Coordinates of all heavy atoms in Angstrom, one line a residue:
K1 N 0.9 -1.2 -0.1 CA 0.0 0.0 0.0 C 0.9 1.2 0.1 O 0.6 2.2 -0.7 CB -1.0 0.1 1.2 CG -1.8 1.3 1.4 CD -2.6 1.6 0.0 CE -3.2 2.9 -0.1 NZ -2.2 3.9 -0.4
C2 N 2.0 1.1 0.7 CA 2.8 2.5 0.7 C 3.3 2.7 -0.8 O 3.4 3.8 -1.1 CB 4.2 2.1 1.6 SG 3.9 1.6 3.2
S3 N 3.5 1.6 -1.5 CA 4.0 1.8 -2.9 C 3.0 2.1 -3.9 O 3.6 2.4 -5.0 CB 4.8 0.5 -3.3 OG 5.8 0.2 -2.3
I4 N 1.8 2.1 -3.6 CA 0.7 2.3 -4.6 C 0.0 3.4 -4.3 O -0.8 3.4 -3.3 CB -0.1 0.8 -4.8 CG1 0.8 -0.3 -5.2 CG2 -1.3 1.1 -5.7 CD1 0.0 -1.6 -5.3
C5 N -0.1 4.3 -5.1 CA -1.1 5.5 -5.3 C -2.1 5.1 -6.2 O -2.2 4.8 -7.3 CB -0.3 6.7 -5.9 SG -1.6 8.0 -6.1
I6 N -3.4 4.9 -5.5 CA -4.6 4.5 -6.1 C -5.3 5.6 -6.8 O -5.6 6.6 -6.2 CB -5.6 3.8 -5.0 CG1 -4.9 2.6 -4.3 CG2 -6.9 3.4 -5.8 CD1 -5.7 2.2 -3.2
V7 N -5.3 5.5 -8.1 CA -5.9 6.7 -8.9 C -7.5 6.4 -9.2 O -8.3 7.4 -9.0 CB -5.2 6.8 -10.2 CG1 -5.8 7.9 -11.2 CG2 -3.7 7.1 -10.1
N8 N -7.7 5.2 -9.5 CA -9.1 4.9 -9.7 C -9.2 3.3 -9.5 O -8.2 2.7 -9.2 CB -9.9 5.5 -10.9 CG -9.1 5.0 -12.2 OD1 -8.6 4.0 -12.2 ND2 -9.2 5.9 -13.0
D9 N -10.3 2.7 -10.0 CA -10.5 1.2 -9.7 C -9.7 0.5 -11.0 O -9.8 -0.8 -11.0 CB -12.0 0.8 -9.8 CG -12.7 1.2 -11.1 OD1 -12.0 1.8 -12.1 OD2 -13.8 0.7 -11.2
H10 N -9.0 1.2 -11.8 CA -8.3 0.5 -12.9 C -6.9 1.2 -13.1 O -6.3 0.9 -14.2 CB -9.1 0.3 -14.0 CG -9.7 1.6 -14.8 ND1 -10.8 2.4 -14.3 CD2 -9.1 2.5 -15.8 CE1 -11.0 3.5 -14.9 NE2 -9.9 3.6 -15.9
A11 N -6.5 2.0 -12.3 CA -5.3 2.8 -12.6 C -4.5 3.1 -11.3 O -5.1 3.4 -10.2 CB -5.5 4.0 -13.3
I12 N -3.1 2.9 -11.2 CA -2.4 3.2 -10.1 C -1.1 3.9 -10.6 O -0.7 3.9 -11.8 CB -1.9 2.0 -9.3 CG1 -0.9 1.1 -10.0 CG2 -3.1 1.2 -8.9 CD1 -0.3 -0.1 -9.3
I13 N -0.4 4.6 -9.6 CA 0.9 5.0 -9.8 C 1.9 4.4 -8.9 O 1.4 4.3 -7.7 CB 1.0 6.6 -9.6 CG1 0.0 7.3 -10.5 CG2 2.5 7.1 -9.7 CD1 -0.2 8.8 -10.1
T14 N 3.0 4.0 -9.3 CA 3.9 3.3 -8.4 C 5.5 3.6 -8.9 O 5.7 3.7 -10.1 CB 3.7 1.8 -8.2 OG1 4.7 1.3 -7.2 CG2 3.9 1.1 -9.7
S15 N 6.4 3.4 -7.9 CA 7.8 3.3 -8.4 C 8.4 2.1 -8.4 O 9.6 1.7 -8.8 CB 8.6 4.3 -7.5 OG 8.6 3.8 -6.2
D16 N 7.5 1.0 -8.1 CA 8.0 -0.3 -7.9 C 7.6 -1.1 -9.2 O 6.6 -1.4 -9.6 CB 7.3 -1.0 -6.8 CG 7.9 -2.4 -6.5 OD1 7.7 -3.4 -7.3 OD2 8.5 -2.5 -5.3
R17 N 8.8 -1.5 -9.9 CA 8.4 -2.1 -11.4 C 8.0 -3.6 -11.1 O 7.2 -4.0 -12.0 CB 9.9 -2.2 -12.1 CG 10.2 -0.8 -12.4 CD 11.5 -0.7 -13.4 NE 11.9 0.6 -13.7 CZ 11.4 1.4 -14.7 NH1 10.4 1.0 -15.3 NH2 11.8 2.6 -14.8
G18 N 8.2 -4.2 -10.0 CA 7.6 -5.5 -9.8 C 6.1 -5.5 -9.6 O 5.4 -6.3 -10.1
I19 N 5.7 -4.3 -8.9 CA 4.2 -4.2 -8.8 C 3.6 -4.1 -10.1 O 2.6 -4.5 -10.5 CB 4.0 -3.2 -7.7 CG1 4.3 -3.7 -6.3 CG2 2.6 -2.6 -7.8 CD1 4.2 -2.6 -5.2
A20 N 4.3 -3.0 -10.8 CA 3.8 -2.5 -12.1 C 3.5 -3.8 -13.0 O 2.5 -4.0 -13.6 CB 4.7 -1.6 -12.7
K21 N 4.5 -4.7 -13.1 CA 4.5 -5.9 -14.0 C 3.4 -6.8 -13.6 O 2.6 -7.4 -14.4 CB 5.8 -6.6 -13.9 CG 5.9 -7.7 -15.0 CD 7.3 -8.2 -14.9 CE 7.4 -9.4 -15.9 NZ 8.8 -10.0 -15.9
A22 N 3.3 -6.9 -12.2 CA 2.2 -7.9 -11.8 C 0.7 -7.5 -11.9 O -0.1 -8.2 -12.4 CB 2.6 -8.1 -10.2
V23 N 0.5 -6.2 -11.8 CA -0.9 -5.6 -11.8 C -1.3 -5.4 -13.3 O -2.4 -5.5 -13.6 CB -1.0 -4.3 -11.0 CG1 -0.7 -4.7 -9.6 CG2 -0.4 -3.2 -11.6
E24 N -0.4 -5.2 -14.1 CA -0.7 -4.9 -15.5 C -1.3 -6.3 -16.1 O -2.0 -6.1 -17.1 CB 0.5 -4.5 -16.4 CG 0.9 -2.9 -16.0 CD 2.2 -2.5 -16.8 OE1 3.0 -3.4 -17.0 OE2 2.3 -1.4 -17.0
K25 N -0.9 -7.2 -15.7 CA -1.4 -8.6 -16.2 C -2.8 -8.7 -15.9 O -3.5 -9.6 -16.4 CB -0.7 -9.8 -15.5 CG 0.8 -9.9 -16.0 CD 1.5 -11.0 -15.3 CE 3.0 -11.1 -15.6 NZ 3.7 -12.2 -14.7
H26 N -3.4 -7.9 -15.0 CA -4.7 -8.0 -14.5 C -5.6 -6.9 -15.1 O -6.7 -6.6 -14.6 CB -4.9 -8.1 -13.1 CG -4.3 -9.3 -12.5 ND1 -5.0 -10.6 -12.2 CD2 -3.0 -9.6 -12.1 CE1 -4.3 -11.5 -11.8 NE2 -2.9 -11.0 -11.7

C-alpha cells in the first residue's frame, strides 16, 4: 500500500517495477 497510489479502480501510480508488471497482467 505504501508503494501504490490508487488513482481509480483501474489505474495506479508506483515506483516499484515488480508491482507494475504484476498488476498490468490483470
Side-chain angles (χ1 to χ4, degrees):
K1 177 60 196 76
C2 296
S3 301
I4 294 174
C5 171
I6 300 164
V7 174
N8 55 33
D9 63 357
H10 57 276
I12 68 168
I13 302 170
T14 186
S15 62
D16 190 291
R17 294 187 180 278
I19 288 176
K21 185 177 179 180
V23 303
E24 283 174 336
K25 294 177 182 177
H26 296 271

